[in-house]
Amino acid sequence: MAGRTFTASLEQFRDLTTRNMRYVARQAIQDVLEAAQTPQPGIGAGASGFVEGKIPVVTSELINSLTVDGASGRNAYVATIAGMEIGDFIRFAWTAPYAMRIEAGFTGTDSKGRSYAQPGRFFVLANAQRFSEFVGKRVKEVRR
């Protein structure tokens, strides 16, 4: 009987650990994408500045261009992440033609031949770099 109780306890611990790992992974990835999809007015919409790590919105094309494993739209990631298992690989991208220019910045020349630079908004990079922070926050939740 003691061996069976020990085995049942190990199985219960394994199941709880797997559930917690799945929760932490799903929520932390969702936190990254929600942060990356946090809008702010773009310069073309009258903003006088920007906050790095937020996605600039002038026409909604960029924020709505998010695709996650074939699903597209502003919240495309929600259903994909909900069905995710530990070890799954999820691919996401912003497909607006100018997405990388907004993310990383660019230099150019205006119609009068003057050079200018637009700094990157880093709405993806800045939030991906926060992944460990998001994981830590979610780990605290499951340890309560």
Side-chain angles (χ1 to χ4, degrees):
M1 182 76 167
R4 182 164 171 81
T5 303
F6 180 71
T7 301
S9 293
L10 286 177
E11 288 172 354
Q12 194 174 30
F13 178 73
R14 179 202 63 210
D15 293 345
L16 177 62
T17 301
T18 301
R19 228 179 4 259
N20 287 345
M21 286 173 48
R22 190 180 304 119
Y23 173 82
V24 168
R26 287 175 178 170
Q27 293 304 121
I29 292 167
Q30 185 160 320
D31 290 342
V32 167
L33 288 167
E34 284 178 359
Q37 285 287 86
T38 300
Q40 68 176 327
I43 302 298
S48 59
F50 69 94
V51 176
E52 190 175 283
K54 293 186 178 182
I55 193 166
V57 176
V58 175
T59 66
S60 297
E61 180 184 15
L62 179 58
I63 200 167
N64 289 330
S65 75
L66 174 62
T67 61
V68 180
D69 285 347
S72 62
R74 187 173 183 167
N75 295 315
Y77 58 90
V78 176
T80 302
I81 292 171
M84 185 186 124
E85 294 296 330
I86 299 299
D88 285 354
F89 180 82
I90 297 174
R91 188 177 311 240
F92 61 92
W94 283 262
T95 59
Y98 54 88
M100 186 53 98
R101 289 171 53 117
I102 299 299
E103 170 66 15
F106 61 94
T107 58
T109 307
D110 67 16
S111 60
K112 295 182 181 178
R114 297 176 294 204
S115 294
Y116 65 90
Q118 176 180 306
R121 302 310 193 243
F122 303 108
F123 59 96
V124 179
L125 179 64
N127 292 296
Q129 289 175 331
R130 296 177 60 200
F131 183 69
S132 293
E133 169 193 335
F134 293 131
V135 167
K137 173 183 161 192
R138 297 307 180 163
V139 165
K140 287 178 185 174
E141 290 176 9
V142 299
R143 286 188 174 163
R144 290 182 184 162

